[in-house]
């Protein structure tokens, strides 16, 4: 069935390193794609989203582009900070009543 | 706006006890959800609701019940608690204007439940 595959973690990076977290989906296409972030001890919150193919979502220095040709929505940040340490979830937005998230990728940034 | 609120924050139950996890949202969202998150794992949908009076099962509904008598509230009931229900429970809501999961979900802070 339709699903999202997310890069497994944990990922440990030094401050100012480049970050990529891969996310691919198997459906023919979703109306929208999301990245959520979960900081320690908190609920998930929206990081960014894209609402159509080739759309780029961005927030807090993070970016992700909805690539229909490669069925991907990879999350990138050019220079991570210690405060970016969190768990990141990729999620599809579908008009059917299917609500699911990727397995999550834990990121730890060390000074 | 308070957003999505959940009570309690923490709870310890004995096996066989029952409890209700409360969830409320003040954003006039149509859709509400209950997820559980086990340690080191992703989220699994327990139940969801697309509007007052309408609920439906998610991926892991066994051992839980829900009701949606108002737009604002979506309580989750655990009957006969079991150790397998030890988890962190998150309530979420969304507008649901386009249907499905196309809208941003807003999450509560979670309830950490331990069943001993």
């Amino acid at each position: 069935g339709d699903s999202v595959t997310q890069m497994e973690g944990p990922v440990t990076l030094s401050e100012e390193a480049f970050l990529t977290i891969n996310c691919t989906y198997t459906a023919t296409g979703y109306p929208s794609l999301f990245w959520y972030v979960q900081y320690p001890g908190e609920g998930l919150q929206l990081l960014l989203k894209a609402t159509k193919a080739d759309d780029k979502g961005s927030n807090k220095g993070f970016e992700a582009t909805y690539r229909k040709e490669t069925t991907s929505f990879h999350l990138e940040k050019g220079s991570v900070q210690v405060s970016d340490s969190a768990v990141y979830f990729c999620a599809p937005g579908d008009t059917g009543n299917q609500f699911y998230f990727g397995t999550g990728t834990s990121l730890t940034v060390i000074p | 706006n308070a957003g999505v609120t959940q009570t309690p924050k923490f709870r310890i139950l004995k096996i066989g006890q029952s409890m209700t996890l409360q969830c409320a949202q003040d954003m006039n969202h149509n859709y509400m959800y209950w997820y559980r998150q086990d340690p080191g794992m992703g989220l699994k949908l327990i139940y969801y609701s697309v509007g007052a009076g309408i609920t439906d099962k998610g991926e892991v509904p066994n051992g839980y019940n829900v009701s949606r008598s108002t737009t604002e509230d979506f309580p989750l009931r655990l009957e006969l608690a079991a150790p397998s229900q030890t988890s962190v429970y998150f309530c979420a809501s969304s507008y649901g204007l386009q249907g499905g999961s196309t809208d941003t979900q807003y999450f509560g802070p979670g309830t950490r439940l331990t069943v001993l």
Side-chain angles (χ1 to χ4, degrees):
Chain A
D2 298 349
S3 69
V4 164
T5 301
Q6 187 175 338
M7 183 175 93
E8 289 193 20
V11 174
T12 301
L13 294 173
S14 297
E15 207 164 22
E16 300 183 2
F18 184 84
L19 168 71
T20 299
I21 300 177
N22 291 339
C23 173
T24 57
Y25 58 90
T26 58
T28 53
Y30 290 106
S32 50
L33 291 167
F34 299 86
W35 276 101
Y36 288 86
V37 59
Q38 183 180 31
Y39 297 105
E42 299 183 10
L44 278 69
Q45 58 185 272
L46 177 69
L47 178 60
L48 55 84
K49 66 179 181 181
T51 56
K52 59 183 183 296
D54 299 324
D55 198 20
K56 178 188 281 187
S58 61
N59 186 27
K60 299 181 181 180
F62 291 88
E63 293 183 340
T65 300
Y66 185 159
R67 302 269 188 217
K68 201 166 184 178
E69 65 277 12
T70 55
T71 63
S72 65
F73 192 53
H74 304 324
L75 182 68
E76 296 182 337
K77 186 173 185 181
S79 176
V80 294
Q81 305 300 311
V82 172
S83 58
D84 294 326
S85 297
V87 181
Y88 294 82
F89 293 90
C90 183
D94 190 88
T95 51
N97 284 337
Q98 302 224 25
F99 308 97
Y100 54 90
F101 292 77
T103 52
T105 302
S106 175
L107 170 67
T108 301
V109 180
I110 54 177
Chain B
N1 286 352
V4 179
T5 57
Q6 291 183 241
T7 55
K9 283 187 169 47
F10 304 94
R11 184 72 185 268
I12 297 175
L13 283 181
K14 294 182 179 178
I15 294 171
Q17 287 185 320
S18 300
M19 77 165 292
T20 298
L21 281 66
Q22 301 292 344
C23 173
Q25 52 92 9
D26 62 358
M27 297 175 280
N28 202 31
H29 284 170
N30 295 311
Y31 282 43
M32 295 188 75
Y33 319 81
W34 275 106
Y35 294 93
R36 60 177 286 173
Q37 185 178 36
D38 298 326
M41 304 289 285
L43 296 168
K44 292 189 176 179
L45 183 67
I46 304 171
Y47 271 96
Y48 68 98
S49 167
V50 301
I54 306 169
T55 62
D56 210 342
K57 295 177 181 179
E59 184 182 355
V60 290
N62 291 344
Y64 307 94
N65 277 299
V66 293
S67 59
R68 183 100 182 268
S69 56
T70 67
T71 299
E72 294 79 18
D73 300 298
F74 191 43
L76 177 71
R77 177 83 178 161
L78 278 72
E79 305 281 2
L80 299 174
S84 60
Q85 294 178 304
T86 294
S87 189
V88 181
Y89 291 84
F90 290 102
C91 179
S93 70
S94 68
Y95 281 110
L97 292 176
Q98 299 182 61
S101 54
T102 52
D103 293 316
T104 300
Q105 293 186 49
Y106 295 82
F107 284 79
T111 295
R112 186 175 297 274
L113 175 67
T114 302
V115 182
L116 300 174

